[in-house]
């Protein structure tokens, strides 16, 4: 009894004194092997270092508000989402409790599988189009282009390359990705902190919207109920299509690291297909967990493109992906490329 009282007095003293109110001065979380990187569903040994030998009644571990039961000194990291996490330990000390945290990285349980492609058809593409986004709707290809003074949103006959309709964005903005959902066409800008909503039938602007915590505007896609937005970091944000508010995010990870190069996006059957910025490859990302399940090697595709007057060796890279649901194929191109490729994506043998 004396020990418990003295422990509580010590705790009250630490929590009551401004400079010593940090519970980490009393406790810390120790993980098996002193590691900070773990894989989804991994079982990890965990303990609390009790620096002042204070009497502890119970400890509850959690991540993202989900309780992780302790069994034989281990917790199972069966979290639905991956990336940077805070492991929280709530330490109960009779009538008092404190919380401490430890930063960890939760990675995918499996390495990405390697995919390749087969070209089915090749179509003409406007070499002046610094392609940022592609999307099919009712057989029409919608395309957004970038660069200040050259940013557009357009409707294209994908078979002929003919521009059916086009609007120019303000010269002050750098256009980025697009997606179309519920008869609204959403378009991002790069560093202006704003996006646009258009009527897809006539490309008339409905409204502007502002970004929240996301850093920049890169790629857009949707799953029929929410928008996904990349911003040049490891995060892909969820946006409410009506309010355009950010309502959470996933982080893109492999089994070894967190990855931050997702650019143009396309959503197909629970997966996000994402161009890897300035690389001839594309990621297949699980839209729930953020795990990068596959990498598509598009090596050799750029070599089939004729370099025109708009070509920039550093920036005329693979970018733009759209899924044609009726044909069951993907369409890909690049910035200032003269060709649009219809491809099948398959696992590499």
């Amino acid at each position: 009894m004396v020990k418990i009282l003295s422990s509580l007095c010590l705790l009250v003293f630490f929590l009551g004194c401004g400079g010593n109110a940090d519970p980490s001065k009393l406790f810390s979380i120790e993980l098996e092997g002193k590691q900070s990187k773990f894989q989804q569903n991994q079982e990890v040994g965990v303990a609390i270092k009790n620096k002042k030998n204070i009497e502890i009644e119970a400890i509850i571990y959690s991540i993202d508000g989900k309780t992780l039961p302790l069994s034989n000194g281990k917790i199972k990291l069966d979290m639905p989402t991956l990336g940077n996490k805070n492991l929280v330990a709530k330490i109960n000390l009779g009538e008092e409790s404190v919380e401490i945290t430890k930063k960890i990285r939760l990675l995918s349980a499996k390495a990405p599988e390697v995919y390749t492609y087969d070209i089915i058809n090749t179509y003409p593409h406007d070499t002046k189009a610094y392609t940022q986004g592609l999307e099919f709707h009712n057989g029409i290809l919608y395309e957004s282009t970038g660069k200040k003074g050259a940013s557009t949103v357009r409707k294209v006959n994908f078979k002929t390359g003919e521009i059916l309709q086009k609007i120019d964005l303000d010269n002050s903005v750098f256009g980025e990705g697009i997606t179309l959902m519920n008869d609204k066409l959403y378009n991002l800008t790069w560093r202006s902190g704003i996006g646009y909503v258009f009527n897809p039938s006539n490309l008339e602007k409905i409204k502007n919207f502002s970004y929240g915590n996301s850093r920049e505007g890169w790629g857009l896609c949707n799953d029929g109920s929410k928008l996904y937005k990349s911003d040049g970091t490891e995060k892909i944000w969820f946006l409410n299509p009506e309010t355009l508010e950010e309502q959470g995010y996933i982080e893109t990870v492999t089994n070894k690291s967190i990855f931050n190069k997702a650019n143009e996006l396309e959503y197909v059957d629970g997966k996000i297909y994402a161009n890897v910025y300035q690389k001839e490859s594309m990621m297949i990302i699980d839209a729930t967990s953020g795990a990068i399940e596959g990498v598509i090697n598009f090596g050799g595709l750029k070599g089939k493109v004729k370099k025109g007057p708009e070509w920039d060796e550093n920036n005329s890279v693979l970018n733009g992906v759209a899924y044609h649901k009726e044909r069951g194929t993907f369409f890909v191109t690049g910035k200032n490329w003269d060709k649009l490729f219809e491809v099948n994506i398959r696992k590499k043998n």
Side-chain angles (χ1 to χ4, degrees):
M1 182 69 176
V2 174
K3 182 178 180 181
I4 295 175
L5 287 174
S6 62
S7 297
L8 288 176
C9 289
L10 180 62
L11 175 68
V12 170
F13 172 77
F14 268 84
L15 298 182
C17 298
N20 294 320
D22 183 359
S24 67
K25 295 185 180 297
L26 300 173
F27 309 100
S28 63
I29 301 173
E30 295 190 334
L31 296 173
E32 184 178 344
K34 297 184 179 180
Q35 298 179 66
S36 60
K37 292 182 180 181
F38 305 95
Q39 294 181 331
Q40 188 179 32
N41 295 320
Q42 183 176 345
E43 291 188 348
V44 181
V46 61
I48 295 297
K49 184 176 182 179
N50 190 343
K51 301 174 184 179
K52 300 293 181 180
N53 294 319
I54 297 173
E55 191 80 14
I56 295 175
E57 286 195 359
I59 305 167
I60 301 173
Y61 295 99
S62 65
I63 295 177
D64 295 341
K66 179 184 177 180
T67 299
L68 304 176
L70 186 65
S71 177
N72 297 320
K74 294 188 175 184
I75 53 174
K76 186 176 182 180
L77 301 176
D78 56 345
M79 304 302 300
T81 61
L82 308 177
N84 293 295
K85 301 291 182 182
N86 282 321
L87 174 62
V88 178
K90 182 178 180 181
I91 304 172
N92 292 325
L93 306 151
E95 296 180 0
E96 303 288 342
S97 67
V98 296
E99 285 189 355
I100 56 173
T101 62
K102 190 174 186 68
K103 294 183 182 297
I104 66 169
R105 288 189 166 190
L106 189 56
L107 306 177
S108 174
K110 297 180 180 179
E113 295 189 89
V114 179
Y115 289 73
T116 187
Y117 65 97
D118 297 312
I119 298 174
I120 301 172
N121 289 300
T122 302
Y123 304 102
H125 182 253
D126 181 10
T127 58
K128 294 182 179 179
Y130 193 77
T131 304
Q132 300 290 65
L134 296 178
E135 180 121 348
F136 276 105
H137 181 66
N138 293 335
I140 300 296
L141 181 65
Y142 288 78
E143 181 173 12
S144 59
T145 69
K147 288 190 174 180
K148 290 185 177 181
S151 295
T152 67
V153 175
R154 54 182 69 181
K155 297 160 73 172
V156 179
N157 181 329
F158 74 90
K159 292 183 179 180
T160 66
E162 177 190 1
I163 300 172
L164 305 175
Q165 190 177 2
K166 182 181 75 168
I167 59 166
D168 298 320
L169 302 187
D170 189 271
N171 287 341
S172 65
V173 303
F174 192 117
E176 285 284 348
I178 56 170
T179 195
L180 201 152
M181 176 180 164
N182 296 335
D183 292 323
K184 292 178 181 178
L185 179 65
Y186 301 86
N187 177 215
L188 299 175
T189 64
W190 184 23
R191 290 178 169 171
S192 299
I194 59 170
Y196 308 111
V197 183
F198 297 103
N199 182 332
S201 64
N202 56 19
L203 298 185
E204 289 185 358
K205 188 168 71 172
I206 298 171
K207 64 179 179 179
N208 298 350
F209 65 93
S210 299
Y211 304 161
N213 292 316
S214 57
R215 191 181 74 171
E216 296 173 352
W218 286 42
L220 269 180
C221 66
N222 76 85
D223 64 2
S225 62
K226 63 178 175 291
L227 308 180
Y228 296 84
K229 173 183 182 290
S230 59
D231 71 346
T233 71
E234 69 277 6
K235 296 176 181 177
I236 296 179
W237 297 81
F238 312 141
L239 274 62
N240 182 303
E242 297 302 321
T243 66
L244 284 308
E245 292 179 351
E246 294 162 1
Q247 298 181 327
Y249 57 83
I250 55 174
E251 296 183 26
T252 55
V253 307
T254 68
N255 60 316
K256 293 185 177 180
S257 65
I258 293 176
F259 197 72
N260 64 352
K261 297 292 184 180
N263 196 3
E264 221 284 83
L265 309 178
E266 179 78 340
Y267 179 95
V268 183
D269 296 333
K271 311 299 178 186
I272 297 173
Y273 291 74
N275 282 115
V276 179
Y277 180 58
Q278 292 191 324
K279 300 291 184 181
E280 291 187 72
S281 61
M282 191 178 294
M283 298 178 285
I284 304 174
I285 303 165
D286 183 89
T288 299
S289 69
I292 301 171
E293 297 182 339
V295 176
I296 309 162
N297 182 358
F298 277 106
L301 200 61
K302 188 176 181 179
K304 301 180 183 298
V305 177
K306 183 179 179 181
K307 300 178 182 179
E310 304 290 334
W311 189 267
D312 181 329
E313 200 61 45
N314 294 321
N315 293 310
S316 295
V317 294
L318 178 78
N319 200 49
V321 52
Y323 181 68
H324 196 298
K325 186 175 180 180
E326 290 73 24
R327 299 164 75 100
T329 56
F330 287 86
F331 286 70
V332 297
T333 189
K335 301 175 181 183
N336 306 125
W337 286 20
D338 71 335
K339 294 181 179 66
L340 173 72
F341 298 94
E342 182 179 8
V343 301
N344 269 331
I345 294 171
R346 59 177 174 81
K347 285 185 183 179
K348 189 172 182 179
N349 295 330

